[in-house]
Amino acid sequence: MRRSMSVAVLGGLLAVSTLAGCGGDKEAGSTGGGDDKIVLGFSQVGAESGWRTANTESIKASAKAAGIELKFSDAQGKQENQISDIRGFITQKVDVIAFSPVVTSGWDAVLKEAKDANIPVILTDRAVDSQDTSLYKSFIGSDFKVEGEKAGEWLAKEYEGKTGDVNIVELQGTTGSAPAIDRQTGFAEKIKANPNLKVVKTQTGDFKRADGKTVMETFLQSTPKIDVLYAHNDDMGLGAIEAIEAAGKVPGKDIKIITVDAVRDGMTALAAGKINFIVECSPLLGDQLMEVVKKVNKGETVEKRILTKEGTFTPEQAKTELPNRKY
Amino acid sequence: MTILKNRLFWPSLILAILLGINMFTSQQFLMIQDGHLFGTLIDILRGSAPLILVALGMTLVIATGGIDLSVGSVMAISGAVACLLISELGDQNSVGSVLLIIGIAIGASLLLGLWNGVLVAAVGIQPIIATLILMVAGRGVAQLITEGQIINVRSEPYATLGSGFFLAVPVAFLIAAAAVVLTILLTRRTALGLLLESVGGSPTASRLAGIGARRITIMVYVVAGGLAGLAGLIYSANIRSADSISAGSLIELDAILAVVIGGTALIGGRFSVAGTVLGAILIQTLTVTVVAIDIRPEANLLFKAVVVVALCLSQSPDFRAKVFGRFKSRPAAREVAAA
């Protein structure tokens, strides 16, 4: 009996202290904006790929250049880590919070806490599916559908005025992932107008080199004539090049190759003429992020959806760009 | 009817059906191109080499009643070590240096296997937990070695391991075949196989009978580590790069499946090397068939699951008795009624 009493008392104390904590945050949030140096809390997905590492480095470098104090945390691919990181930023009373959500759902509660504490939130690279869009100020990142469209446009132009059938095979990313779905639909929409451009086979290569190679081997055996390969990232394309070469064909000539990403390995193959066209998916969004951070900190309104500045590359452009590729 | 009761009959039948499908869908099932064998069948044999090696090690570990979850991570580490060292070579095409590096990578894998073996046999941690440690930590180690990047190599001798041909047959498959033959000879022509099975049956009874159960247990984990390392080298040589994040990811499950399809029970004891090889080739053929017959990416895991479930059911004597027993008993019943 005595024990349960003490538990109740302790629970009561905790509840009071949490309430007090919330109140304190609110007051600090309204005055905290007046500091001369902006404090940005950033929670990264993890370090799962070279692309992600370049993304992290870009954010760190841009923060330094913009004179913004960066509190960086790595969620190691886990949503629960990321939620506790964001709660940490709220208690530390940072001026702005930015993060790349590990998954799309389940953010409403923690984003509400940030909003109640008057801390603006910016999403980078990946979106959340919250119905209440007032929970975040802006989303900076690539539009995967536009990337697919760029790839489709290039192909339609490449075969402009030609009527012969063009057999396309597609290496998809991880089944069900946003980039895989959007890159597929964007591409399909742009080639729809040309009935001679046909996607004859489409299969997942899980964004991996080895899987890209295995699937391409089977494509080559089971499809009589392949003219074009569209791979949703450079790595699968690079794996497929190995398979094409092993089959005694010349990548880039016998089979035209389009990929997405433009990481250094992909650009090297592009410069060597083994890939014909790469649509960039840039991790270097640091500068754009810092601009938005400064604006929201001043209370200015920003665009809800900001696209990363990215281009496309042909083999000639790749040769000049390659020495500058950091990732 | 005795052939129907052989536990390898059903996997063989399904493999034959899958290969039959591939013969129809493929333009080039088996032919000679550029002076070597070429075609879907060769792709399957070459592609299944890493899984055969990993599953071979897994068979021995499972025979002693253990399990090794760390094989995928060991693959990643061995590929990472090899590619890192080769990329720093002055002349990447030097055969001697590449062979030395292959030796170092396999040596490292054997050490990782020794770590597992010591945890299981000397410290006495349950195999699933002991190897889980390396499964999780090992992938981190591999990423640390490559600094999270994909390391590319331009070494022809190294690439031969994954995509080269010797006497018109893929080198990767020859390596796997050699490992299989060696294992069969060692386990079936010496007392080793018997000792393995006795340790799997009862480690305590084996020890009391004078068998060095602890030493044998450590040995199988070391062998499994070495074979996984070799598989990792073939995997990375195949794509001429070390991809520490995806190399060998989830291969432990495919390897366990291959062992189970081959008729080795997970509780240890009796084991079948030939069955495991059959299982590994079957899994690779299934992966290729999914693409060849144009199953939608969303449905492709489901297709594999259906085949595996059908296969496992067909291997169960109880299930067979229920389904086929009915067909057999009816005429007999009628005869009785007629009499």
Side-chain angles (χ1 to χ4, degrees):
Chain A
M1 187 65 196
R2 188 177 292 164
R3 185 179 288 168
S4 65
M5 280 265 290
S6 64
V7 167
V9 169
L10 193 66
L13 277 175
L14 272 177
V16 170
S17 68
T18 340
L19 281 175
C22 283
D25 273 356
K26 252 176 207 162
E27 283 158 29
S30 54
T31 53
D35 292 356
D36 48 349
K37 205 170 186 188
I38 304 170
V39 180
L40 168 68
F42 186 85
S43 171
Q44 180 62 286
V45 175
E48 79 279 10
S49 64
W51 192 96
R52 187 65 61 191
T53 322
N55 182 239
T56 303
E57 276 163 17
S58 159
I59 288 163
K60 284 183 177 165
S62 303
K64 206 172 176 189
I68 291 173
E69 190 188 332
L70 179 69
K71 286 184 188 296
F72 184 87
S73 71
D74 184 336
Q76 293 172 340
K78 291 201 177 72
Q79 184 175 26
E80 60 265 34
N81 291 350
Q82 202 155 34
I83 288 178
S84 68
D85 288 344
I86 295 170
R87 292 227 164 93
F89 292 146
I90 296 172
T91 29
Q92 290 168 38
K93 296 161 194 156
V94 299
D95 298 305
V96 182
I97 293 174
F99 73 111
S100 283
V102 174
V103 291
T104 54
S105 52
W107 298 103
D108 290 21
V110 69
L111 291 183
K112 186 90 194 342
E113 286 169 34
K115 196 185 175 191
D116 290 344
N118 265 329
I119 302 177
V121 173
I122 303 164
L123 308 175
T124 64
D125 174 42
R126 300 182 182 187
V128 298
D129 65 356
S130 299
Q131 297 294 318
D132 181 3
T133 52
S134 73
L135 291 176
Y136 58 89
K137 295 285 177 202
S138 180
F139 166 37
I140 307 175
S142 312
D143 187 328
F144 302 130
K145 203 173 159 205
V146 171
E147 289 168 359
E149 286 170 0
K150 283 178 185 168
E153 270 166 21
W154 179 84
L155 189 68
K157 214 170 169 192
E158 186 76 7
Y159 284 94
E160 208 170 26
K162 291 178 190 161
T163 47
D165 274 357
V166 177
N167 288 343
I168 306 164
V169 293
E170 184 180 27
L171 281 171
Q172 288 187 31
T174 309
T175 310
S177 71
I181 297 168
D182 292 351
R183 283 172 190 168
Q184 184 182 23
T185 24
F187 182 77
E189 277 174 20
K190 285 292 164 181
I191 60 164
K192 205 164 51 184
N194 308 45
N196 59 327
L197 301 180
K198 280 183 210 144
V199 178
V200 289
K201 292 254 164 145
T202 174
Q203 190 55 251
T204 176
D206 214 8
F207 284 132
K208 293 178 190 169
R209 256 184 222 199
D211 292 34
K213 183 172 181 183
T214 317
V215 174
M216 191 65 198
E217 277 170 358
T218 316
F219 279 169
L220 286 163
Q221 308 289 12
S222 58
T223 319
K225 181 171 106 41
I226 300 176
D227 301 297
V228 176
L229 162 70
Y230 169 45
H232 288 185
N233 77 346
D234 288 348
D235 281 329
M236 290 190 294
L238 290 167
I241 288 175
E242 296 271 328
I244 295 169
E245 283 176 341
K249 295 195 162 124
V250 184
K253 290 209 174 66
D254 296 339
I255 297 177
K256 292 204 163 79
I257 302 176
I258 312 168
T259 65
V260 183
D261 259 6
V263 295
R264 192 169 47 210
D265 292 347
M267 292 290 268
T268 314
L270 180 64
K274 290 183 176 179
I275 297 179
N276 302 73
F277 189 68
I278 297 187
V279 179
E280 187 182 23
C281 178
S282 175
L284 309 178
L285 46 76
D287 289 341
Q288 281 173 301
L289 173 63
M290 296 313 149
E291 258 175 55
V292 176
V293 166
K294 281 181 186 166
K295 278 187 185 165
V296 296
N297 191 52
K298 280 186 209 150
E300 290 173 24
T301 48
V302 289
E303 277 181 62
K304 202 87 205 174
R305 181 75 175 90
I306 298 171
L307 289 183
T308 326
K309 291 178 192 132
E310 14 190 61
T312 56
F313 295 99
T314 58
E316 283 69 39
Q317 289 165 326
K319 276 175 201 153
T320 41
E321 174 64 18
L322 195 54
N324 314 325
R325 274 285 118 158
K326 278 172 273 174
Y327 54 94
Chain B
M1 281 316 276
T2 45
I3 188 167
L4 281 179
K5 292 211 176 97
N6 187 313
R7 60 196 161 144
L8 293 185
F9 171 75
W10 294 98
S12 309
L13 181 71
I14 291 191
L15 179 61
I17 293 173
L18 289 175
L19 286 175
I21 294 172
N22 275 293
M23 263 164 113
F24 281 105
T25 58
S26 173
Q27 309 289 310
Q28 305 152 311
F29 186 71
L30 185 62
M31 55 180 282
I32 290 179
Q33 183 179 313
D34 303 333
H36 60 73
L37 292 168
F38 181 79
T40 306
L41 185 64
I42 297 301
D43 284 344
I44 290 173
L45 291 181
R46 199 168 49 81
S48 60
L51 185 58
I52 292 178
L53 289 169
V54 170
L56 197 58
M58 191 69 84
T59 311
L60 301 179
V61 171
I62 287 178
T64 65
I67 200 148
D68 187 351
L69 298 182
S70 71
V71 282
S73 296
V74 174
M75 273 180 75
I77 292 177
S78 115
V81 166
C83 287
L84 182 72
L85 292 175
I86 290 177
S87 70
E88 282 169 1
L89 279 182
D91 173 20
Q92 294 198 4
N93 287 327
S94 140
V95 179
S97 322
V98 170
L99 282 177
L100 180 70
I101 288 167
I102 289 174
I104 295 173
I106 292 178
S109 315
L110 291 170
L111 278 179
L112 292 169
L114 182 66
W115 162 264
N116 279 333
V118 167
L119 284 187
V120 172
V123 184
I125 304 178
Q126 278 190 5
I128 197 164
I129 305 296
T131 56
L132 188 68
I133 298 173
L134 188 57
M135 175 189 177
V136 177
R139 188 133 327 255
V141 171
Q143 288 186 38
L144 209 63
I145 295 172
T146 60
E147 291 171 341
Q149 308 286 328
I150 293 179
I151 301 180
N152 296 298
V153 294
R154 273 173 215 84
S155 165
E156 284 311 316
Y158 187 63
T160 306
L161 211 56
S163 46
F165 288 85
F166 180 71
L167 298 177
V169 184
V171 172
F173 182 70
L174 286 177
I175 294 173
V180 170
V181 170
L182 199 65
T183 311
I184 290 180
L185 284 181
L186 280 176
T187 53
R188 296 299 177 219
R189 296 281 165 214
T190 71
L192 192 63
L194 183 72
L195 298 185
L196 283 178
E197 290 183 356
S198 91
V199 170
S202 167
T204 323
S206 313
R207 192 168 49 78
L208 294 176
I211 298 170
R214 190 173 284 183
R215 221 174 333 139
I216 288 196
T217 309
I218 293 181
M219 188 200 72
V220 293
Y221 283 96
V222 171
V223 170
L227 288 172
L230 195 54
L233 294 177
I234 293 176
Y235 181 97
S236 79
N238 189 32
I239 51 172
R240 295 168 201 251
S241 55
D243 185 349
S244 55
I245 294 151
S246 50
S249 81
L250 297 183
I251 201 170
E252 61 279 351
L253 297 182
D254 275 347
I256 294 170
L257 182 61
V259 173
V260 171
I261 290 175
T264 303
L266 286 178
I267 47 169
R270 200 173 61 163
F271 66 96
S272 162
V273 172
T276 298
V277 174
L278 186 66
I281 296 178
L282 180 69
I283 291 171
Q284 181 67 20
T285 312
L286 196 52
T287 310
V288 169
T289 310
V290 164
V291 182
I293 60 175
D294 221 0
I295 299 226
R296 292 177 53 213
E298 294 82 1
N300 105 28
L301 290 175
L302 181 70
F303 175 80
K304 284 187 187 176
V306 169
V307 174
V308 169
V309 168
L311 176 59
C312 292
L313 284 178
S314 71
Q315 281 180 301
S316 149
D318 284 353
F319 181 80
R320 279 209 307 271
K322 273 198 185 125
V323 176
F324 298 104
R326 199 177 287 166
F327 297 119
K328 254 185 276 167
S329 60
R330 260 183 208 156
R334 239 176 257 145
E335 274 166 34
V336 171

